Amino acid sequence: MTAPIPRDIPDLPPIPGHVVLPPTVVPARAVLIPARRRAVAVFRGLIALLALTGVAVELLTGGAPTTALSHFTIQSGILLALVMLVSARCAWSAHHPLPGALTGAALFYVLAAALVHHVLLAHASSPFAASDGTGTAWQTAATHVLHTAVPVAALLDWLLLTPAGRLHLRQAPVWLLYPLAYLAFSLARGELLLPGSEDRYLYPFLDVDQHGYKIVLGNALLIGLALYALAVLLVALDHIRPDPLRRPR
């Protein structure tokens, strides 16, 4: 048998002092249920398909697959395709979106590859411009896809379909860690390959045989400063652009 519940419960003594609960901030994602955005999911799926198509053409026509995979453009294109596929699934299934730091990094890398290509490699006045008529028609098409079509599509997705105000200035130096690691990889790869090997240095501004380490590191420093400025510009634009998902009151 259980003991009977007493009819009269004595009052508990009051808690001494004045208790003030600390203010709490509840993020919007904790109380707002994301809606299905199937048109956005389809668009991001098409971006991923476009990027993977360009990567596949480069792997099939660009010589050894290991050499093609060593290019910054190919690596950034694969990263963007993966991010877009996951983002498309989130939009289709009404899941919370990916962190802004990840989607911003994927956008930053494809824009960085496009900037280097159009300013240093494809511009006629650049000292590192590639000679005309190199590569097959398929390679030329893949180059335009990866350096123009994919970055423009990713930028439009960010401007028109992605919530604003998710990027922060502290993320800009973190994004530069991957290009810095790629620089170390490229120089180490060139040292491991035999002198005179084809594609020993994948980019002419990193060609130690032709320019020496002093000039190559100087080129890398200038490119790094330009990329940091690009990252800061993305963060600034993210905080001044209108939020495409905010409904007018």
Side-chain angles (χ1 to χ4, degrees):
M1 297 181 62
T2 59
I5 301 176
R7 293 172 178 258
D8 297 329
I9 300 178
D11 295 333
L12 297 176
I15 300 175
H18 183 63
V19 179
V20 179
L21 296 177
T24 58
V25 178
V26 179
R29 60 179 298 178
V31 296
L32 296 179
I33 301 177
R36 295 180 183 271
R37 306 169 65 201
R38 294 185 173 177
V40 174
V42 171
F43 181 67
R44 290 175 179 171
L46 292 176
I47 295 177
L49 179 61
L50 187 65
L52 291 177
T53 300
V55 170
V57 172
E58 283 288 348
L59 292 177
L60 293 175
T61 62
T66 54
T67 301
L69 288 172
S70 298
H71 283 85
F72 187 89
T73 301
I74 300 299
Q75 297 175 10
S76 62
I78 294 175
L79 174 62
L80 179 74
L82 294 176
V83 169
M84 284 296 167
L85 287 175
V86 178
S87 297
R89 182 180 181 276
C90 293
W92 185 275
S93 305
H95 291 166
H96 290 296
L98 292 177
L102 178 59
T103 56
L107 173 65
F108 169 70
Y109 295 141
V110 294
L111 291 179
L115 179 66
V116 170
H117 172 78
H118 288 290
V119 174
L120 295 180
L121 303 178
H123 201 281
S125 61
S126 171
F128 308 111
S131 57
D132 296 334
T134 59
T136 64
W138 284 105
Q139 289 176 321
T140 302
T143 297
H144 288 299
V145 166
L146 292 174
H147 293 106
T148 304
V150 169
V152 169
L155 185 62
L156 290 177
D157 172 80
W158 180 69
L159 289 174
L160 303 178
L161 305 175
T162 304
R166 303 176 65 200
L167 303 182
H168 304 282
L169 190 59
R170 63 178 180 271
Q171 296 167 351
V174 179
W175 291 345
L176 292 180
L177 293 179
Y178 170 47
L180 182 61
Y182 182 82
L183 172 64
F185 160 77
S186 180
L187 296 180
R189 178 181 179 276
E191 288 296 328
L192 293 175
L193 293 178
L194 295 176
S197 300
E198 185 179 2
D199 294 328
R200 184 184 181 191
Y201 293 99
L202 301 174
Y203 295 96
F205 49 83
L206 298 180
D207 193 334
V208 177
D209 289 340
Q210 183 176 359
H211 305 292
Y213 273 102
K214 183 177 180 180
I215 295 180
V216 165
L217 293 178
N219 294 336
L221 178 61
L222 293 177
I223 294 174
L225 293 176
L227 295 186
Y228 182 74
L230 174 64
V232 173
L233 178 61
L234 284 178
V235 174
L237 288 177
D238 188 50
H239 287 271
I240 63 175
R241 67 186 178 98
D243 194 335
L245 301 184
R246 182 175 297 172
R247 297 178 180 178
R249 297 181 180 179

